[in-house]
Amino acid sequence: MLGAWLAAASQGQVGACFDLGVAFSTGSNGATCDLIEAHKWFNLAAARGHEDAAHCRADISDEMTAREIAEAQRRARQWLAEGRQRAA
């Protein structure tokens, strides 16, 4: 499941970003529980207008340190930058 969602997310599918956030926040569908990765994926989905992702991101932020949130944001920016490079 994760592989299919990653492929779909790399094609810009917002729902796949949200699904990845859920998987990493709950440790389901083959993902380990990783709030930094979950925040990253919820952030990417929320940035594309997914309202539930914004709520989920806020919920897990309450359980994260400022440093963890900053790392998640860095990873989201990096993922976007790498995506733009692949598309170029």
Side-chain angles (χ1 to χ4, degrees):
M1 219 50 198
L2 287 181
W5 287 336
L6 284 168
S10 70
Q11 298 298 314
Q13 293 186 21
V14 177
C17 293
F18 177 76
D19 290 338
L20 285 163
V22 171
F24 281 107
S25 67
T26 60
S28 60
N29 293 295
T32 57
C33 188
D34 183 339
L35 293 184
I36 294 172
E37 277 297 299
H39 190 286
K40 173 183 97 173
W41 290 111
F42 285 141
N43 198 24
L44 290 165
R48 294 182 174 132
H50 196 293
E51 284 188 34
D52 289 339
H55 295 296
C56 291
R57 180 186 59 198
D59 286 345
I60 66 169
S61 292
D62 291 341
E63 303 174 37
M64 299 172 70
T65 65
R67 182 168 287 178
E68 289 170 331
I69 292 169
E71 174 62 15
Q73 292 169 336
R74 185 194 67 75
R75 290 184 191 181
R77 285 190 303 272
Q78 181 180 11
W79 190 84
L80 288 172
E82 290 171 356
R84 281 195 298 270
Q85 290 170 359
R86 283 193 299 268

Coordinates of all heavy atoms in Angstrom, one line a residue:
M1 N 0.8 -1.2 0.0 CA 0.0 0.0 0.0 C 0.9 1.3 0.0 O 0.6 2.2 -0.7 CB -0.9 0.0 1.3 CG -2.3 0.5 1.1 SD -3.1 -0.3 -0.3 CE -4.4 0.8 -0.5
L2 N 1.9 1.3 0.8 CA 2.7 2.5 0.9 C 3.4 2.8 -0.4 O 3.4 4.0 -0.8 CB 3.8 2.3 2.0 CG 3.4 2.3 3.4 CD1 4.6 2.1 4.3 CD2 2.7 3.6 3.8
G3 N 3.8 1.8 -1.1 CA 4.5 2.1 -2.4 C 3.5 2.7 -3.4 O 3.9 3.7 -4.1
A4 N 2.3 2.2 -3.4 CA 1.3 2.8 -4.3 C 0.9 4.2 -3.9 O 0.8 5.1 -4.8 CB 0.0 1.9 -4.3
W5 N 0.8 4.5 -2.6 CA 0.5 5.8 -2.2 C 1.7 6.8 -2.5 O 1.5 7.9 -2.9 CB 0.2 5.9 -0.7 CG -1.1 5.3 -0.4 CD1 -2.2 5.2 -1.2 CD2 -1.5 4.7 0.9 NE1 -3.3 4.6 -0.5 CE2 -2.9 4.3 0.7 CE3 -0.9 4.5 2.1 CZ2 -3.6 3.7 1.8 CZ3 -1.6 3.9 3.1 CH2 -3.0 3.5 3.0
L6 N 2.9 6.3 -2.3 CA 4.1 7.1 -2.6 C 4.1 7.5 -4.1 O 4.4 8.6 -4.5 CB 5.4 6.4 -2.2 CG 5.7 6.4 -0.7 CD1 6.8 5.5 -0.4 CD2 6.1 7.8 -0.3
A7 N 3.8 6.5 -4.9 CA 3.8 6.8 -6.4 C 2.7 7.8 -6.7 O 2.9 8.7 -7.5 CB 3.6 5.5 -7.1
A8 N 1.5 7.6 -6.1 CA 0.4 8.5 -6.4 C 0.7 9.9 -5.8 O 0.4 10.9 -6.5 CB -0.9 8.0 -5.8
A9 N 1.4 10.0 -4.7 CA 1.7 11.3 -4.1 C 2.7 12.0 -5.0 O 2.7 13.2 -5.2 CB 2.3 11.1 -2.7
S10 N 3.7 11.3 -5.6 CA 4.7 11.9 -6.5 C 4.0 12.4 -7.7 O 4.6 13.3 -8.4 CB 5.8 10.9 -6.8 OG 5.3 9.9 -7.6
Q11 N 2.8 11.9 -8.0 CA 2.1 12.5 -9.2 C 1.1 13.6 -8.8 O 0.3 14.1 -9.6 CB 1.2 11.3 -9.8 CG 2.1 10.2 -10.4 CD 3.0 10.6 -11.5 OE1 2.6 11.3 -12.4 NE2 4.2 10.2 -11.4
G12 N 1.2 14.0 -7.5 CA 0.4 15.1 -7.1 C -0.9 14.8 -6.5 O -1.8 15.7 -6.3
Q13 N -1.2 13.5 -6.2 CA -2.5 13.2 -5.7 C -2.6 13.5 -4.2 O -1.9 12.9 -3.4 CB -2.8 11.7 -6.0 CG -2.9 11.4 -7.5 CD -3.3 9.9 -7.7 OE1 -3.9 9.3 -6.9 NE2 -3.1 9.5 -8.9
V14 N -3.5 14.4 -3.9 CA -3.6 14.9 -2.5 C -4.1 13.8 -1.6 O -3.6 13.7 -0.5 CB -4.6 16.1 -2.5 CG1 -4.8 16.5 -1.1 CG2 -4.1 17.2 -3.4
G15 N -5.0 13.0 -2.0 CA -5.5 11.9 -1.2 C -4.5 10.9 -0.8 O -4.5 10.4 0.3
A16 N -3.5 10.7 -1.7 CA -2.4 9.8 -1.3 C -1.5 10.4 -0.2 O -1.1 9.6 0.6 CB -1.6 9.5 -2.6
C17 N -1.3 11.7 -0.3 CA -0.5 12.3 0.8 C -1.2 12.2 2.1 O -0.6 11.9 3.1 CB -0.3 13.8 0.4 SG 0.7 14.2 -1.0
F18 N -2.5 12.4 2.1 CA -3.3 12.2 3.3 C -3.2 10.8 3.8 O -3.0 10.6 5.0 CB -4.8 12.6 3.1 CG -5.6 12.4 4.3 CD1 -5.6 13.3 5.3 CD2 -6.5 11.4 4.4 CE1 -6.4 13.2 6.4 CE2 -7.3 11.2 5.5 CZ -7.3 12.1 6.5
D19 N -3.4 9.8 2.9 CA -3.3 8.4 3.3 C -2.0 8.1 3.9 O -1.9 7.3 4.9 CB -3.6 7.5 2.1 CG -5.1 7.6 1.7 OD1 -5.9 7.9 2.5 OD2 -5.3 7.2 0.5
L20 N -0.9 8.6 3.4 CA 0.4 8.4 3.9 C 0.5 9.0 5.3 O 1.1 8.4 6.3 CB 1.5 9.0 3.0 CG 1.8 8.2 1.8 CD1 2.5 9.0 0.7 CD2 2.6 6.9 2.1
G21 N -0.1 10.2 5.5 CA -0.1 10.8 6.9 C -0.8 9.9 7.9 O -0.3 9.7 9.0
V22 N -1.9 9.4 7.5 CA -2.7 8.5 8.3 C -1.9 7.2 8.7 O -1.8 6.8 9.8 CB -4.1 8.1 7.7 CG1 -4.7 7.0 8.5 CG2 -5.0 9.3 7.6
A23 N -1.3 6.6 7.7 CA -0.5 5.4 7.9 C 0.7 5.7 8.8 O 0.9 4.9 9.8 CB 0.1 4.9 6.5
F24 N 1.4 6.7 8.7 CA 2.5 7.0 9.6 C 2.1 7.5 10.9 O 2.8 7.2 11.9 CB 3.5 8.0 8.9 CG 4.4 7.4 7.9 CD1 4.2 7.7 6.6 CD2 5.4 6.6 8.3 CE1 5.0 7.1 5.6 CE2 6.3 6.0 7.3 CZ 6.1 6.3 6.0
S25 N 0.9 8.1 11.0 CA 0.5 8.6 12.4 C -0.1 7.4 13.2 O -0.1 7.5 14.4 CB -0.6 9.7 12.2 OG -1.8 9.2 11.7
T26 N -0.6 6.4 12.5 CA -1.2 5.2 13.2 C -0.3 4.0 13.2 O -0.6 3.0 13.9 CB -2.5 4.9 12.6 OG1 -2.4 4.6 11.3 CG2 -3.5 6.1 12.8
G27 N 0.8 4.0 12.4 CA 1.6 2.8 12.3 C 0.8 1.7 11.6 O 0.8 0.5 12.0
S28 N 0.1 2.0 10.5 CA -0.7 1.0 9.8 C -0.3 0.9 8.3 O 0.6 1.7 7.8 CB -2.2 1.4 9.9 OG -2.4 2.7 9.3
N29 N -0.8 -0.1 7.7 CA -0.6 -0.3 6.2 C 0.9 -0.5 5.9 O 1.4 0.0 4.9 CB -1.2 0.8 5.4 CG -2.7 0.8 5.4 OD1 -3.3 -0.2 5.0 ND2 -3.3 1.8 6.0
G30 N 1.7 -1.1 6.8 CA 3.1 -1.3 6.6 C 4.0 -0.2 7.0 O 5.2 -0.3 6.9
A31 N 3.4 0.9 7.5 CA 4.3 2.0 8.0 C 4.5 1.8 9.5 O 3.7 1.3 10.2 CB 3.6 3.3 7.7
T32 N 5.7 2.3 9.9 CA 6.0 2.4 11.3 C 5.4 3.7 11.8 O 5.3 4.6 11.0 CB 7.5 2.3 11.7 OG1 8.1 3.4 10.9 CG2 8.1 1.0 11.2
C33 N 5.0 3.8 13.1 CA 4.5 5.0 13.6 C 5.6 6.0 13.7 O 6.7 5.8 14.3 CB 3.9 4.8 15.0 SG 3.1 6.2 15.7
D34 N 5.5 7.1 12.9 CA 6.5 8.1 12.8 C 5.8 9.5 12.7 O 5.3 9.8 11.6 CB 7.4 7.8 11.6 CG 8.6 8.8 11.4 OD1 8.5 10.0 12.0 OD2 9.5 8.5 10.8
L35 N 5.7 10.2 13.7 CA 4.9 11.5 13.7 C 5.6 12.5 12.8 O 4.9 13.4 12.2 CB 4.7 12.0 15.1 CG 3.8 11.2 16.0 CD1 3.6 11.9 17.4 CD2 2.5 10.9 15.4
I36 N 6.9 12.5 12.7 CA 7.6 13.5 11.8 C 7.1 13.2 10.3 O 6.8 14.1 9.6 CB 9.1 13.4 11.9 CG1 9.5 13.9 13.3 CG2 9.8 14.2 10.8 CD1 11.0 13.7 13.7
E37 N 7.2 11.9 9.9 CA 6.7 11.6 8.6 C 5.2 11.9 8.4 O 4.8 12.4 7.3 CB 7.0 10.1 8.2 CG 8.4 9.9 7.8 CD 8.8 10.6 6.5 OE1 8.2 10.3 5.4 OE2 9.7 11.4 6.5
A38 N 4.5 11.6 9.4 CA 3.0 11.8 9.3 C 2.8 13.3 9.2 O 2.0 13.7 8.3 CB 2.3 11.3 10.6
H39 N 3.4 14.1 9.9 CA 3.3 15.6 9.8 C 3.7 16.1 8.4 O 3.0 16.9 7.8 CB 4.1 16.3 10.9 CG 3.9 17.7 11.0 ND1 4.3 18.7 10.1 CD2 3.2 18.4 12.0 CE1 4.0 19.9 10.5 NE2 3.3 19.8 11.7
K40 N 4.7 15.5 7.9 CA 5.2 15.9 6.6 C 4.1 15.6 5.5 O 3.7 16.5 4.8 CB 6.4 15.1 6.2 CG 6.8 15.3 4.7 CD 8.0 14.4 4.3 CE 7.6 13.2 3.7 NZ 8.7 12.4 3.1
W41 N 3.5 14.4 5.6 CA 2.5 14.1 4.6 C 1.2 14.9 4.8 O 0.5 15.3 3.8 CB 2.2 12.6 4.6 CG 3.4 11.9 4.0 CD1 4.3 11.1 4.6 CD2 3.9 12.0 2.6 NE1 5.3 10.7 3.8 CE2 5.1 11.2 2.5 CE3 3.4 12.6 1.5 CZ2 5.8 11.0 1.4 CZ3 4.1 12.5 0.3 CH2 5.3 11.7 0.2
F42 N 0.8 15.1 6.1 CA -0.4 15.9 6.3 C -0.2 17.3 5.9 O -1.0 17.9 5.3 CB -0.8 15.9 7.8 CG -1.4 14.6 8.3 CD1 -1.1 14.1 9.5 CD2 -2.3 13.9 7.5 CE1 -1.7 12.9 10.0 CE2 -2.9 12.7 8.0 CZ -2.6 12.2 9.2
N43 N 1.1 17.8 6.1 CA 1.4 19.2 5.6 C 1.3 19.3 4.1 O 0.7 20.3 3.6 CB 2.8 19.5 6.1 CG 3.1 21.0 6.1 OD1 2.2 21.8 6.2 ND2 4.4 21.3 6.0
L44 N 1.8 18.3 3.4 CA 1.8 18.4 1.9 C 0.3 18.3 1.4 O 0.0 19.0 0.5 CB 2.6 17.2 1.3 CG 4.1 17.3 1.5 CD1 4.8 16.0 1.3 CD2 4.6 18.4 0.6
A45 N -0.5 17.5 2.1 CA -1.9 17.4 1.7 C -2.7 18.7 2.0 O -3.4 19.2 1.2 CB -2.6 16.2 2.4
A46 N -2.4 19.2 3.2 CA -3.1 20.4 3.6 C -2.7 21.6 2.7 O -3.5 22.4 2.4 CB -2.7 20.8 5.1
A47 N -1.4 21.6 2.3 CA -1.0 22.7 1.4 C -1.7 22.7 0.1 O -1.8 23.7 -0.6 CB 0.5 22.6 1.2
R48 N -2.2 21.5 -0.3 CA -3.0 21.4 -1.5 C -4.5 21.4 -1.3 O -5.3 21.0 -2.1 CB -2.6 20.1 -2.2 CG -1.2 20.1 -2.7 CD -0.8 18.8 -3.4 NE 0.5 18.9 -3.9 CZ 1.4 18.0 -3.8 NH1 1.2 16.9 -3.1 NH2 2.6 18.1 -4.3
G49 N -4.9 21.9 -0.1 CA -6.3 22.1 0.2 C -7.1 21.0 0.9 O -8.3 21.1 1.0
H50 N -6.4 20.0 1.4 CA -7.1 18.9 2.0 C -7.4 19.3 3.5 O -6.5 19.4 4.3 CB -6.3 17.6 2.0 CG -7.0 16.4 2.3 ND1 -7.5 16.1 3.5 CD2 -7.3 15.3 1.5 CE1 -8.1 14.9 3.5 NE2 -8.0 14.4 2.3
E51 N -8.7 19.6 3.8 CA -9.1 20.1 5.1 C -8.8 19.1 6.2 O -8.3 19.5 7.3 CB -10.5 20.5 5.1 CG -10.8 21.8 4.4 CD -12.2 22.3 4.6 OE1 -12.8 22.1 5.7 OE2 -12.7 23.0 3.7
D52 N -9.2 17.9 6.0 CA -8.9 16.9 7.1 C -7.5 16.7 7.4 O -7.1 16.5 8.6 CB -9.5 15.5 6.6 CG -11.0 15.4 6.6 OD1 -11.6 16.3 7.3 OD2 -11.5 14.6 5.9
A53 N -6.6 16.9 6.4 CA -5.2 16.8 6.6 C -4.7 17.9 7.6 O -3.9 17.7 8.4 CB -4.4 16.9 5.3
A54 N -5.3 19.1 7.4 CA -4.9 20.2 8.2 C -5.3 20.0 9.7 O -4.5 20.3 10.6 CB -5.6 21.5 7.7
H55 N -6.5 19.4 9.9 CA -6.9 19.0 11.2 C -6.0 17.9 11.8 O -5.6 18.0 13.0 CB -8.4 18.6 11.2 CG -9.3 19.7 10.9 ND1 -9.5 20.8 11.6 CD2 -10.1 19.8 9.8 CE1 -10.4 21.6 11.0 NE2 -10.8 21.0 9.9
C56 N -5.7 16.9 11.1 CA -4.8 15.8 11.6 C -3.4 16.3 11.9 O -2.8 16.0 12.9 CB -4.7 14.7 10.5 SG -6.3 13.8 10.3
R57 N -2.9 17.2 11.1 CA -1.6 17.8 11.3 C -1.6 18.6 12.6 O -0.7 18.5 13.4 CB -1.2 18.8 10.2 CG 0.1 19.4 10.3 CD 0.4 20.4 9.2 NE -0.6 21.5 9.3 CZ -0.9 22.3 8.2 NH1 -0.2 22.2 7.1 NH2 -1.8 23.2 8.3
A58 N -2.7 19.3 12.9 CA -2.8 20.1 14.1 C -2.9 19.1 15.3 O -2.2 19.4 16.4 CB -4.0 21.0 14.1
D59 N -3.6 18.0 15.2 CA -3.7 17.1 16.3 C -2.4 16.4 16.6 O -2.1 16.4 17.8 CB -4.7 16.0 15.9 CG -6.2 16.4 15.9 OD1 -6.4 17.5 16.5 OD2 -7.0 15.7 15.3
I60 N -1.6 16.0 15.6 CA -0.4 15.3 16.0 C 0.7 16.3 16.4 O 1.6 16.0 17.1 CB 0.2 14.4 14.9 CG1 0.5 15.2 13.6 CG2 -0.8 13.3 14.6 CD1 1.3 14.4 12.6
S61 N 0.5 17.6 16.0 CA 1.5 18.6 16.4 C 1.5 18.8 17.9 O 2.5 19.1 18.5 CB 1.2 20.0 15.8 OG 1.4 19.9 14.4
D62 N 0.4 18.5 18.6 CA 0.3 18.6 20.0 C 1.2 17.6 20.7 O 1.5 17.8 21.9 CB -1.2 18.4 20.5 CG -2.1 19.6 20.1 OD1 -1.6 20.7 19.8 OD2 -3.3 19.4 20.1
E63 N 1.5 16.5 20.0 CA 2.3 15.5 20.6 C 3.8 15.6 20.2 O 4.6 14.7 20.5 CB 1.8 14.1 20.1 CG 0.4 13.8 20.5 CD -0.2 12.6 19.9 OE1 0.6 11.6 19.9 OE2 -1.4 12.5 19.5
M64 N 4.1 16.6 19.4 CA 5.5 16.8 18.9 C 6.2 18.0 19.5 O 5.6 18.9 19.9 CB 5.4 16.9 17.4 CG 4.8 15.8 16.6 SD 4.5 16.1 14.9 CE 6.2 16.2 14.2
T65 N 7.5 17.9 19.5 CA 8.3 19.0 19.9 C 8.5 20.0 18.8 O 8.3 19.7 17.6 CB 9.7 18.6 20.4 OG1 10.4 18.1 19.2 CG2 9.7 17.5 21.5
A66 N 8.9 21.2 19.1 CA 9.1 22.2 18.1 C 10.2 21.7 17.1 O 10.1 22.0 15.9 CB 9.5 23.5 18.7
R67 N 11.2 21.0 17.6 CA 12.3 20.5 16.7 C 11.7 19.5 15.8 O 12.1 19.4 14.6 CB 13.4 20.0 17.6 CG 14.6 19.4 16.8 CD 15.7 19.2 17.7 NE 16.3 20.5 18.1 CZ 17.3 20.6 18.9 NH1 17.9 19.6 19.4 NH2 17.7 21.8 19.2
E68 N 10.9 18.6 16.3 CA 10.3 17.6 15.4 C 9.4 18.2 14.3 O 9.4 17.8 13.1 CB 9.4 16.6 16.2 CG 10.3 15.7 17.1 CD 9.4 14.9 18.1 OE1 8.3 15.3 18.5 OE2 9.9 13.8 18.4
I69 N 8.6 19.2 14.7 CA 7.8 19.9 13.7 C 8.7 20.6 12.6 O 8.4 20.5 11.4 CB 6.9 20.9 14.4 CG1 5.8 20.2 15.2 CG2 6.2 21.8 13.3 CD1 5.0 21.0 16.1
A70 N 9.8 21.2 13.1 CA 10.7 21.8 12.1 C 11.3 20.8 11.2 O 11.4 21.1 10.0 CB 11.8 22.6 12.9
E71 N 11.6 19.6 11.7 CA 12.2 18.6 10.8 C 11.1 18.1 9.8 O 11.4 17.9 8.7 CB 12.7 17.4 11.7 CG 13.1 16.2 10.9 CD 14.3 16.4 10.0 OE1 15.0 17.4 10.1 OE2 14.5 15.5 9.1
A72 N 9.9 18.0 10.3 CA 8.8 17.5 9.4 C 8.6 18.6 8.2 O 8.5 18.2 7.1 CB 7.5 17.4 10.1
Q73 N 8.7 19.9 8.6 CA 8.5 20.9 7.6 C 9.7 20.9 6.6 O 9.5 21.1 5.4 CB 8.4 22.3 8.3 CG 7.1 22.4 9.0 CD 7.0 23.6 9.9 OE1 8.1 24.1 10.4 NE2 5.8 24.0 10.2
R74 N 10.9 20.6 7.1 CA 12.1 20.6 6.3 C 11.9 19.4 5.3 O 12.2 19.6 4.1 CB 13.4 20.4 7.1 CG 14.7 20.4 6.3 CD 15.8 19.9 7.1 NE 15.7 18.4 7.4 CZ 16.0 17.5 6.5 NH1 16.3 17.8 5.2 NH2 15.9 16.2 6.8
R75 N 11.5 18.3 5.8 CA 11.3 17.1 4.9 C 10.2 17.4 3.8 O 10.4 16.9 2.7 CB 10.9 15.9 5.7 CG 12.0 15.3 6.6 CD 11.5 14.1 7.3 NE 12.5 13.6 8.3 CZ 12.3 12.5 9.0 NH1 11.2 11.8 8.9 NH2 13.2 12.2 9.9
A76 N 9.2 18.1 4.2 CA 8.1 18.4 3.2 C 8.7 19.3 2.1 O 8.4 19.1 0.9 CB 6.9 19.1 3.9
R77 N 9.5 20.3 2.5 CA 10.1 21.2 1.5 C 11.0 20.4 0.6 O 11.1 20.7 -0.6 CB 10.8 22.4 2.2 CG 9.9 23.4 2.8 CD 10.7 24.7 3.3 NE 11.7 24.4 4.3 CZ 11.5 24.3 5.6 NH1 10.3 24.6 6.1 NH2 12.5 24.0 6.4
Q78 N 11.8 19.5 1.2 CA 12.8 18.7 0.5 C 12.0 17.9 -0.5 O 12.4 17.7 -1.7 CB 13.6 17.9 1.4 CG 14.6 17.0 0.7 CD 15.4 16.2 1.7 OE1 15.1 16.1 2.8 NE2 16.5 15.6 1.2
W79 N 10.9 17.3 -0.1 CA 10.1 16.4 -1.0 C 9.6 17.2 -2.2 O 9.7 16.7 -3.3 CB 9.0 15.7 -0.2 CG 8.3 14.7 -1.0 CD1 8.7 13.4 -1.1 CD2 7.1 14.8 -1.8 NE1 7.8 12.7 -1.9 CE2 6.8 13.5 -2.3 CE3 6.3 15.9 -2.0 CZ2 5.7 13.3 -3.2 CZ3 5.2 15.7 -2.9 CH2 4.9 14.4 -3.4
L80 N 9.1 18.4 -1.9 CA 8.6 19.2 -3.0 C 9.7 19.6 -3.9 O 9.6 19.6 -5.1 CB 8.0 20.5 -2.4 CG 6.6 20.3 -1.7 CD1 6.2 21.6 -1.0 CD2 5.6 19.9 -2.8
A81 N 10.9 20.0 -3.4 CA 12.0 20.4 -4.2 C 12.5 19.2 -5.1 O 12.8 19.4 -6.3 CB 13.2 20.9 -3.3
E82 N 12.5 18.0 -4.5 CA 12.9 16.9 -5.3 C 11.9 16.6 -6.4 O 12.3 16.2 -7.5 CB 13.1 15.6 -4.4 CG 14.4 15.8 -3.5 CD 14.5 14.7 -2.5 OE1 13.5 13.9 -2.4 OE2 15.5 14.7 -1.8
G83 N 10.7 16.7 -6.1 CA 9.6 16.5 -7.1 C 9.7 17.5 -8.2 O 9.5 17.1 -9.4
R84 N 10.0 18.7 -8.0 CA 10.2 19.7 -9.0 C 11.4 19.3 -9.9 O 11.3 19.5 -11.1 CB 10.3 21.1 -8.5 CG 9.0 21.7 -8.0 CD 9.1 23.2 -7.8 NE 10.1 23.5 -6.7 CZ 9.8 23.7 -5.5 NH1 8.6 23.5 -5.1 NH2 10.7 24.0 -4.6
Q85 N 12.4 18.8 -9.3 CA 13.6 18.5 -10.1 C 13.3 17.3 -11.0 O 13.8 17.3 -12.1 CB 14.8 18.2 -9.1 CG 15.3 19.4 -8.4 CD 16.3 19.0 -7.3 OE1 16.6 17.9 -7.1 NE2 16.8 20.0 -6.7
R86 N 12.5 16.3 -10.5 CA 12.2 15.2 -11.3 C 11.3 15.6 -12.5 O 11.4 15.1 -13.6 CB 11.5 14.1 -10.5 CG 12.4 13.3 -9.6 CD 11.7 12.1 -9.1 NE 10.5 12.4 -8.3 CZ 10.5 12.6 -7.0 NH1 11.7 12.5 -6.3 NH2 9.4 12.9 -6.3
A87 N 10.4 16.6 -12.3 CA 9.5 17.0 -13.3 C 10.2 17.9 -14.3 O 9.7 18.0 -15.5 CB 8.3 17.8 -12.7
A88 N 11.3 18.5 -14.0 CA 12.0 19.4 -14.9 C 12.7 18.6 -16.1 O 12.9 17.5 -16.0 CB 13.0 20.2 -14.2

